[in-house]
Amino acid sequence: MEHPLSLYKLVLFDLDGSIRFCKAHHGPCHAGPGEWQLYDDVPAVLAQYDWGKIAWGVASNQAGVALGYLTAGVALQEAYKTIQAAFGGQVPSRGRIRICMHAPTDGCACRKPAPGMLWQQQAYWECTLDETLFVGDSLEDAQAADRAGCAFIQAYEFFGRPKPVWATWTQAERDVAYREVAETGGRLE
């Protein structure tokens, strides 16, 4: 699928559920190294674009740090390994990884659905809101993009994956699911 990335100076990616998935489940977040796996389609899709002209960034919630599942160092190292694999081993220099290491209940300004990480990336790359695209997989990602004032695309659309079941639901069905997600602190996948 062709994307008009020429419209953007900055493309931000969520990690979990968008670029990588967890091979093991240890509660509300991932527990450690070796448990993430890159989606097979990511390197081929990213190779289609000129990352010398477009800055890339990561904006990812990693509550496992605050909850004691992994250290900040491991979270950052695993994020970098994911990005390195996503770009076929050669990470473009115009990129930056930002992760929120706060617990879901901390109320910080950076944890999605708050727009803090997206604004930090936009400020760092000196991009306007309309020059930024955020690729994510969750309601939190879509809300963060909306609150940051930038464009959003679902990861399944960006990477040309089959449409997930939830994407076929009516608005009423989505509203019920979103309420359940908000009440339980879970994710809609």
Side-chain angles (χ1 to χ4, degrees):
M1 175 183 284
E2 183 63 31
H3 303 286
L5 288 192
S6 61
L7 300 174
Y8 303 102
K9 290 184 178 179
L10 174 62
V11 179
L12 300 174
F13 296 95
D14 169 57
L15 288 177
D16 303 334
S18 298
I19 289 181
R20 67 184 184 186
F21 61 94
C22 184
K23 297 185 289 185
H25 298 282
H26 296 279
C29 54
H30 310 305
E35 294 185 356
W36 289 282
Q37 183 171 331
L38 188 71
Y39 282 104
D40 292 337
D41 54 9
V42 172
V45 172
L46 294 184
Q48 297 174 27
Y49 303 107
D50 183 354
W51 296 101
K53 295 180 181 177
I54 306 166
W56 62 269
V58 167
S60 180
N61 292 341
Q62 296 296 310
V65 174
L67 299 175
Y69 293 128
L70 67 162
T71 66
V74 168
L76 286 166
Q77 182 180 27
E78 291 296 311
Y80 183 80
K81 282 191 214 175
T82 297
I83 292 301
Q84 188 174 31
F87 284 108
Q90 185 67 27
V91 178
S93 61
R94 298 192 60 215
R96 186 168 183 247
I97 296 173
R98 297 293 300 161
I99 62 175
C100 172
M101 299 182 211
H102 298 98
T105 56
D106 286 350
C108 67
C110 57
R111 183 176 176 78
K112 297 174 296 181
M117 281 190 288
L118 281 66
W119 284 340
Q120 290 170 355
Q121 292 280 32
Q122 289 171 321
Y124 181 84
W125 293 108
E126 298 178 350
C127 293
T128 63
L129 301 174
D130 62 340
E131 295 172 326
T132 305
L133 174 67
F134 185 38
V135 180
D137 71 308
S138 68
L139 173 63
E140 294 94 353
D141 294 335
Q143 289 173 326
D146 184 58
R147 292 172 182 172
C150 66
F152 177 77
I153 186 170
Q154 288 285 344
Y156 78 87
E157 292 177 295
F158 184 87
F159 291 106
R161 297 179 190 143
K163 187 181 278 193
V165 172
W166 61 261
T168 64
W169 295 346
T170 66
Q171 187 60 51
E173 291 169 323
R174 287 184 189 190
D175 290 344
V176 168
Y178 292 158
R179 270 194 305 281
E180 290 175 8
V181 167
E183 291 168 4
T184 65
R187 290 175 59 99
L188 182 61
E189 299 191 28

